[in-house]
């Protein structure tokens, strides 16, 4: 029998740099080496299964990936019964970095790492394979190609080069043997391997098996277990992955219980999912998605460290958890899985390329979610109200940040109103319900619905039957800055500028009152010049004596507080004091003013009217002690 011939292949000078890059820079967690090897084994099985369609002799009843552990020799072996590799394929696939183009290959990887260029290198077996050198001092690969009688062994220590020689393997397939480093013994432990497979490869289509220890008590003569005896240690072949990738099935094949169980598995939520979105995108970019809307908003949804909840898979192999680029920030409550076989990956499966493929997936996912919400809003009104109560304020963020879907998002918006009795109403329904003489869509930013409905600025709107949107979310400031018009109707704040809700007769009366009381209003404006921009008559008021409104272009209170919290100095914004021209007190003040234009009583009443407006507006009094004294003096005068 002739001796085996060993061929040696020398790596070029750049190899050490390349291996150092692969081992230390491309992967943030060592555990992924096992994912890479399992993924390669799964690909090999897929190739054999596909080839068996035309070559029936290659077909098997059972395909599997086996993990073997030799704790004594510190060897971890990953075996498969896939298509196998010939000698030439071992050189081509595992010797990628030994080719003449090594320098260019290394330059491309470095360039890709720095600039996220459009390279698709993960498909080259050797790149993911070399991640195993993170945990191994030496790697041996024994493979027998389908259709060949001889197997070959590839071996390398990751430095200098690799060797090739003939080997023995009775079956078609591949064994990858890792001679682990001394400090990587944990990768031989059952628990560690199970955890890694569960995390990264649980939904791989083919069985991943491993011999695990089993302690069983011997049986008595009558067949009962003898629990007083010493357990007998044995090994059983245990399947480590569930293979239950329900997202690859059609929706009709998945039960409600399966959907629920999978949701709880990926979300760690004990509640049932509120809605399931399961679909398959076909065409130039194919991917599958199984998405969930939770029933309740998580407590940390507004915190920066909030997990996004989308898991990314490629061909059922786990790539990344908490992947934020699949859905925009305003859909961060969505949980689920996106799986694509077409998605190009960087050299590492952990660094995804930001290119047109990913953008197409993101666009498809976002469109599906928004369309599902639209259908719910139109056909399941009560359900949509429940959803909106939990996630509406988050969804609103998209109006400011997502120009492409802005119109769709606006149609999904819901608001409480002065007429809705605690329920939500869409802008479309609001416009449909508008009286014929109402020109604009009116809104009011407030701390709460209850607080808003008590504000004096709403009095004339309520009297005329004009509905007002009550906006109580902090994000509503961004909404109204982005939505200035809807269905040809201007969106106007009831407490900003000089609103036009008076009819022609009312306008004529108001103009006459302004002329009649101009001296008194001028005096009051001068008296309050340090605090207000102007004192004027208002068409907003019907019962109250006064109210405060913002200038047309003033920023809101929430925005002002936000800028201050960011350390930005804000110029003082003076509000406008509006007076009810029909209030009896105004007529009495005019009479007093005409008698004595420098009357202290006029000054005191002016200050009190302003203070009342401040209190109604929810602001602090500038001088509460002086206010209290003036009120007390007035009460004494009333008794006298």
């Amino acid at each position: 029998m002739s001796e085996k011939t060993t061929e040696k292949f020398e790596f070029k000078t750049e190899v050490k740099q390349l291996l150092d890059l692969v081992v230390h820079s491309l992967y943030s967690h060592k555990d992924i080496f096992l994912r890479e090897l399992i993924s390669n084994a799964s690909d090999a099985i897929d190739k054999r299964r596909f080839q068996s369609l035309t070559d029936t002799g290659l077909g098997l009843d059972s395909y599997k990936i086996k993990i073997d552990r030799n704790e004594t020799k510190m060897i971890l072996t990953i075996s498969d019964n896939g298509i196998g590799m010939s000698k030439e394929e071992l050189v081509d696939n595992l010797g990628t970095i030994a080719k003449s183009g090594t320098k260019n290959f290394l330059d491309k990887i470095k360039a890709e790492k720095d600039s996220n260029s459009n390279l698709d290198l993960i498909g080259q077996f050797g790149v993911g394979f070399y991640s195993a050198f993170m945990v191994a001092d030496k790697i041996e690969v024994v493979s027998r190609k389908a259709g060949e009688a001889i197997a070959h062994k590839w071996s390398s220590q990751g430095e200098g080069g690799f060797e090739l020689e003939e080997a023995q393997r009775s079956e078609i397939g591949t064994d990858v043997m890792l001679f682990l480093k001394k400090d990587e013994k944990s990768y031989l432990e059952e628990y560690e391997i199970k955890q890694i497979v569960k995390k990264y490869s649980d939904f791989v289509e083919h069985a991943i098996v491993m011999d695990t220890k089993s302690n069983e008590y011997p049986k008595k003569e009558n067949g009962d277990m003898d629990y007083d005896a010493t357990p007998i240690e044995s090994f059983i072949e245990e399947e480590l992955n569930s293979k239950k990738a329900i997202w690859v099935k059609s929706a009709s094949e998945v039960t409600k219980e399966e959907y629920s169980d999978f949701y709880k598995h990926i979300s760690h939520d004990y509640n049932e999912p509120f809605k399931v979105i399961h679909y398959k995108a076909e065409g130039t970019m194919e991917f599958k998605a199984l998405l969930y809307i939770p029933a309740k908003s998580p407590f940390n949804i507004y915190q920066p460290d909030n997990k996004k909840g989308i898991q990314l898979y490629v061909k059922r192999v786990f790539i990344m958890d908490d992947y934020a680029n699949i859905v925009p920030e305003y859909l961060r409550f969505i949980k689920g899985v996106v799986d694509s076989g077409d998605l190009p990956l960087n050299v590492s499966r952990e660094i995804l390329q930001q290119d047109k493929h990913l953008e197409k997936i993101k666009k498809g996912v976002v469109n599906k979610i928004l369309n599902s919400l639209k259908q719910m809003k139109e056909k399941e009104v009560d359900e949509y109200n429940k959803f909106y109560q939990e996630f509406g304020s988050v969804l609103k963020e998209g109006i400011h940040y997502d120009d492409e879907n802005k119109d769709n998002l606006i149609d999904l918006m819901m608001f409480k109103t002065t007429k809705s009795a605690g329920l939500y109403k869409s802008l479309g329904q609001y416009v449909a319900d508008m009286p014929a003489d109402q020109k604009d869509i009116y809104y009011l930013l407030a701390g709460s619905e209850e607080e808003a409905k008590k504000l004096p600025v709403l009095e004339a709107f309520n009297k005329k039957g004009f509905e007002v949107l009550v906006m109580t979310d902090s994000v509503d400031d961004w909404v109204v800055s982005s939505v200035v018009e809807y269905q040809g109707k201007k969106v106007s704040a009831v407490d900003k500028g000089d609103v036009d809700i008076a009819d022609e007769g009312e306008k004529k009366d108001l103009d006459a009152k302004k002329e009649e009381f101009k001296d008194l209003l001028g005096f009051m404006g001068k008296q309050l010049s340090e605090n207000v921009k102007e004192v004027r008559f208002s068409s907003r008021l019907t019962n109250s004596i006064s109210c405060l409104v913002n200038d047309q272009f003033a920023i809101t209170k929430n925005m002002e507080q936000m800028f201050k919290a960011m350390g930005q100095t804000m110029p003082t914004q003076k509000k406008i004091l509006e007076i009810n021209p029909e209030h009896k007190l105004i007529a009495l003040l005019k009479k007093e003013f005409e008698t004595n234009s420098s009357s202290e009583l006029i000054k005191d009443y002016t200050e009190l009217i302003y203070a009342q407006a401040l209190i109604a507006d929810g602001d602090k009094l500038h001088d509460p002690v002086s206010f209290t004294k003036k009120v007390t003096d007035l009460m004494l005068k009333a008794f006298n």
Side-chain angles (χ1 to χ4, degrees), residues 31 34-35 38 67 190-204 208-210 238-245 247 261-262 264-266 268 311 313 316-319 321 337:
D31 294 354
L34 187 55
R35 176 191 67 186
I38 290 174
I67 300 174
E190 282 186 18
Y191 176 79
E192 184 73 12
I193 292 173
K194 288 180 179 180
Q195 286 288 98
I196 296 172
V197 171
K198 189 71 176 175
K199 179 177 181 180
Y200 292 107
S201 307
D202 192 43
F203 305 110
V204 169
I208 303 170
V209 300
M210 181 174 69
E238 181 180 351
E239 193 167 321
L240 306 183
N241 58 322
S242 70
K243 299 187 295 184
K244 293 181 179 178
W247 63 84
D261 290 345
F262 184 70
K264 293 174 181 178
H265 168 70
I266 64 170
H268 308 292
Q311 295 182 355
Y313 283 75
R316 296 169 58 150
V317 176
F318 176 79
I319 302 300
D321 198 0
V337 166

Side-chain angles (χ1 to χ4, degrees), residues 133-147:
F133 277 109
M134 291 188 293
V135 298
D137 287 321
K138 178 183 177 182
I139 300 176
E140 290 184 356
V141 179
V142 176
S143 189
R144 179 182 164 191
K145 173 79 171 181

Side-chain angles (χ1 to χ4, degrees), residues 579-608:
I579 305 296
N580 180 358
E582 303 299 329
H583 201 283
K584 291 181 180 179
L585 181 58
I586 292 300
L588 293 173
L589 285 177
K590 180 176 180 293
K591 187 175 181 180
E592 176 69 19
F593 181 74
E594 289 172 346
T595 303
N596 182 6
S597 61
S598 60
S599 168
E600 289 298 318
L601 183 65
I602 298 292
K603 294 178 182 179
D604 286 346
Y605 271 98
T606 298
E607 294 289 345
L608 288 174

Side-chain angles (χ1 to χ4, degrees), residues 48 108 133 138 167 224 271 285 291 343 357 360 364 378 380 434 518 549 561 614 625:
R48 178 171 182 172
K108 286 180 179 179
F133 277 109
K138 178 183 177 182
D224 293 338
N271 297 305
M285 189 68 188
L291 309 171
L343 187 66
H357 297 284
K360 285 181 180 178
E378 293 173 351
E380 304 172 76
M434 282 173 56
K518 67 178 182 180
V549 299
Q561 291 173 349
L614 270 177
V625 174

Side-chain angles (χ1 to χ4, degrees), residues 359-419:
E359 283 302 312
K360 285 181 180 178
I361 291 177
K362 180 177 180 178
K363 184 175 182 179
V365 169
V366 172
N367 285 342
K368 186 63 179 180
I369 294 171
L370 297 185
N371 286 337
S372 297
L373 292 176
K374 181 181 178 182
Q375 289 179 8
M376 192 199 311
K377 176 175 170 287
E378 293 173 351
K379 299 177 181 179
E380 304 172 76
V381 178
D382 291 341
E383 290 298 291
Y384 189 76
N385 269 279
K386 291 177 185 176
F387 156 78
Y388 202 82
Q389 190 168 352
E390 294 294 328
F391 301 109
S393 58
V394 181
L395 194 66
K396 287 178 187 176
E397 295 173 13
I399 291 179
H400 183 73
Y401 293 107
D402 189 352
D403 285 337
E404 184 175 354
N405 292 296
K406 180 178 175 181
D407 290 342
N408 291 329
L409 286 166
I410 291 173
D411 286 335
L412 291 173
M413 294 301 102
M414 303 281 281
F415 302 96
K416 292 180 180 178
T417 78
T418 50
K419 290 185 176 182

Side-chain angles (χ1 to χ4, degrees), residues 227-249:
Y227 294 108
D228 295 324
T230 303
I232 301 171
E233 185 178 272
S234 62
F235 285 86
I236 59 171
E237 187 176 271
E238 181 180 351
E239 193 167 321
L240 306 183
N241 58 322
S242 70
K243 299 187 295 184
K244 293 181 179 178
I246 61 175
W247 63 84
V248 302
K249 300 180 181 180

Side-chain angles (χ1 to χ4, degrees), residues 59-73:
L60 293 175
D61 293 332
S62 175
Y63 295 97
K64 66 181 178 181
I65 301 163
K66 187 170 184 182
I67 300 174
D68 284 313
R69 299 165 295 126
N70 187 324
E71 297 184 40
T72 304
K73 294 184 178 181

Side-chain angles (χ1 to χ4, degrees), residues 303-548:
Q303 295 176 7
D305 60 348
N306 173 53
K307 297 288 185 181
K308 303 303 180 294
I310 297 293
Q311 295 182 355
L312 183 64
Y313 283 75
V314 172
K315 296 179 181 177
R316 296 169 58 150
V317 176
F318 176 79
I319 302 300
M320 189 180 295
D321 198 0
D322 187 31
Y323 189 52
N325 288 347
I326 290 294
V327 295
E329 188 72 11
Y330 67 87
L331 292 176
R332 59 185 176 273
F333 54 86
I334 296 289
K335 309 294 181 184
V337 166
V338 172
D339 188 344
S340 172
D342 296 328
L343 187 66
L345 298 175
N346 209 315
V347 176
S348 163
R349 292 181 187 271
E350 296 176 308
I351 307 171
L352 289 171
Q353 295 175 1
Q354 305 300 307
D355 67 0
K356 59 183 181 181
H357 297 284
L358 187 59
E359 283 302 312
K360 285 181 180 178
I361 291 177
K362 180 177 180 178
K363 184 175 182 179
V365 169
V366 172
N367 285 342
K368 186 63 179 180
I369 294 171
L370 297 185
N371 286 337
S372 297
L373 292 176
K374 181 181 178 182
Q375 289 179 8
M376 192 199 311
K377 176 175 170 287
E378 293 173 351
K379 299 177 181 179
E380 304 172 76
V381 178
D382 291 341
E383 290 298 291
Y384 189 76
N385 269 279
K386 291 177 185 176
F387 156 78
Y388 202 82
Q389 190 168 352
E390 294 294 328
F391 301 109
S393 58
V394 181
L395 194 66
K396 287 178 187 176
E397 295 173 13
I399 291 179
H400 183 73
Y401 293 107
D402 189 352
D403 285 337
E404 184 175 354
N405 292 296
K406 180 178 175 181
D407 290 342
N408 291 329
L409 286 166
I410 291 173
D411 286 335
L412 291 173
M413 294 301 102
M414 303 281 281
F415 302 96
K416 292 180 180 178
T417 78
T418 50
K419 290 185 176 182
S420 63
L423 300 177
Y424 290 102
K425 180 175 282 192
S426 67
L427 287 178
Q429 187 61 51
Y430 175 96
V431 172
D433 293 343
M434 282 173 56
D437 58 339
Q438 182 178 336
K439 297 177 181 179
D440 297 341
I441 296 170
Y442 297 111
Y443 72 88
L444 175 62
L445 295 169
S448 70
E449 186 181 6
E450 295 73 22
E451 171 193 319
K453 290 182 177 181
K454 297 174 182 177
L455 292 176
V457 291
L458 290 176
E459 290 175 356
F461 293 89
N462 292 335
K463 184 177 180 181
K464 289 179 174 292
F466 293 174
E467 193 169 19
V468 176
L469 303 174
V470 180
M471 298 184 171
T472 58
D473 293 329
S474 58
V475 73
D476 285 332
D477 294 77
W478 297 106
V479 172
V480 296
S481 68
S482 301
V483 185
V484 296
E485 187 179 280
Y486 182 79
Q487 292 187 7
K489 304 289 185 181
K490 182 182 175 183
V491 179
S492 302
V494 299
D495 60 347
K496 290 182 74 172
D498 190 7
V499 295
D500 182 16
I501 60 172
D503 59 32
E504 291 303 317
E506 291 168 335
K507 288 179 182 179
K508 191 175 291 186
D509 290 344
L510 185 61
D511 288 341
K513 288 280 187 181
K514 287 178 181 178
E515 180 63 27
E516 181 185 352
F517 286 77
K518 67 178 182 180
D519 292 339
L520 174 62
L521 294 177
F523 176 84
M524 296 175 73
K526 186 176 181 180
Q527 176 75 14
L528 299 172
S529 60
E530 291 186 8
N531 299 316
V532 301
K533 182 179 180 180
E534 179 188 359
V535 177
R536 69 188 184 194
F537 277 154
S538 171
S539 60
R540 290 179 172 90
L541 301 170
T542 59
N543 298 316
S544 300
I545 178 65
S546 63
C547 70
L548 285 169

